[in-house]
Amino acid sequence: MDGKELQVLLQNLKNGDINVDDAIQRLKHLPFEDLGHANVDHHRQLRLGFPEVIFGEGKSVGQMTQIVTALLDKGSNVLVTRVDEPRALQLKEHFPRLVYHEDARCLTLEQKPVEITGRGKILVVSAGTSDIPVAAEAVVTARLLGNEVEQLYDVGVAGIHRLLARKELLFTAAVIIVVAGMEGALPSVVAGMAGRPVIGVPTSIGYGASFGGIAALLGMLNSCAAGVTVVNIDNGFGAACAASLMNRDVG
């Protein structure tokens, strides 16, 4: 239930179109729903503007099935992240309307149209093709959260002319998510050019001394460009959530 639906419910109660018992029935699972293995937070839509998202890694298909069912019963759109293809296909047997985004390793189901609430465009930039899975997770998430999203892939610092040839995209974005592995230098370059909020996402892509993304993480945290915000390694979802909040009018 989102803010608009709650307003309609309360107005119907005020007008006498429903009784108190009906209203209580609608609201009784609003804070959360205990499934035994998970407490599904149905109140999150009201607090944050988007429903709870399912982190699929480590969850069984049975567990995810129950959580998806709980979200669908409340009329929520569904996003499941970090799902490999075999488990995604099993979930689609239960919910044929689920869409699997292979690059992003995400499943989505839109019960109601996504309303664009962002003030401007979010641009997702990846340094290399190998960084696309993390970047694609950010793209899918940001779109489902109600943002116009554009993407720009494989424009890392090893061939900076590729970025310079598309620099006009940087200047039209409201928020920029920059995904990079190896030494993680690209967010500094973008932040130094664009004059926009830049969210750096280090990835675990790289050879041994990259330490699974730690080198990129430290490089971004030590950026010489002012105002670069950094999320955790491979966290395209978290970057999209932060970008969506930055792109939204307060209220």
Side-chain angles (χ1 to χ4, degrees):
M1 179 178 290
D2 59 24
K4 291 181 180 178
E5 291 172 321
L6 182 57
Q7 285 181 333
V8 170
L9 176 66
L10 295 176
Q11 190 64 49
N12 287 340
L13 179 62
K14 179 181 178 181
N15 295 341
D17 297 328
I18 61 173
N19 59 38
V20 172
D21 289 340
D22 291 333
I24 291 173
Q25 185 67 26
R26 291 284 308 279
L27 293 171
K28 70 178 183 178
H29 289 308
L30 187 58
F32 65 90
E33 181 178 356
D34 187 355
L35 302 180
H37 57 81
N39 288 303
V40 183
D41 183 5
H42 295 302
H43 193 262
R44 194 168 302 184
Q45 176 81 46
L46 285 171
R47 297 196 319 270
L48 301 182
F50 52 88
E52 182 169 11
V53 173
I54 303 167
F55 180 68
E57 191 172 307
K59 290 185 177 65
S60 69
V61 172
Q63 289 169 335
M64 288 189 285
T65 298
Q66 291 184 58
I67 299 170
V68 169
T69 299
L71 291 170
L72 293 178
D73 286 347
K74 298 298 179 292
S76 299
N77 289 338
V78 172
L79 170 60
V80 190
T81 66
R82 294 298 180 89
V83 185
D84 55 32
E85 187 171 10
R87 291 188 304 149
L89 294 176
Q90 290 181 65
L91 278 170
K92 282 178 64 65
E93 291 178 3
H94 295 279
F95 309 100
R97 291 176 58 202
L98 280 170
V99 176
Y100 185 54
H101 307 266
E102 184 176 359
D103 282 349
R105 301 166 296 179
C106 293
L107 286 157
T108 59
L109 195 159
E110 296 179 26
Q111 293 200 100
K112 49 191 175 184
V114 175
E115 179 185 358
I116 299 298
T117 56
R119 293 173 293 178
K121 178 174 62 183
I122 294 175
L123 176 63
V124 180
V125 181
S126 84
T129 303
S130 296
D131 300 310
I132 286 178
V134 177
E137 180 182 80
V139 169
V140 170
T141 302
R143 284 178 175 157
L144 199 65
L145 297 186
N147 301 279
E148 179 188 356
V149 184
E150 195 158 357
Q151 58 211 50
L152 179 59
Y153 291 165
D154 194 26
V155 290
V157 297
I160 197 65
H161 56 289
R162 299 171 297 175
L163 177 67
L164 297 176
R166 305 292 302 280
K167 63 181 182 296
E168 69 280 356
L169 283 177
L170 306 180
F171 304 136
T172 60
V175 185
I176 305 173
I177 297 171
V178 184
V179 182
M182 302 292 187
E183 81 279 33
L186 189 59
S188 292
V189 174
V190 172
M193 292 173 59
R196 302 290 190 273
V198 171
I199 302 171
V201 188
T203 73
S204 51
I205 299 301
Y207 292 104
S210 69
F211 298 108
I214 293 176
L217 172 64
L218 294 177
M220 293 180 190
L221 288 172
N222 286 284
S223 173
C224 60
V228 175
T229 298
V230 184
V231 298
N232 207 347
I233 298 168
D234 292 336
N235 192 7
F237 165 76
C241 290
S244 184
L245 291 171
M246 292 177 184
N247 196 35
R248 184 178 302 164
D249 286 319
V250 177

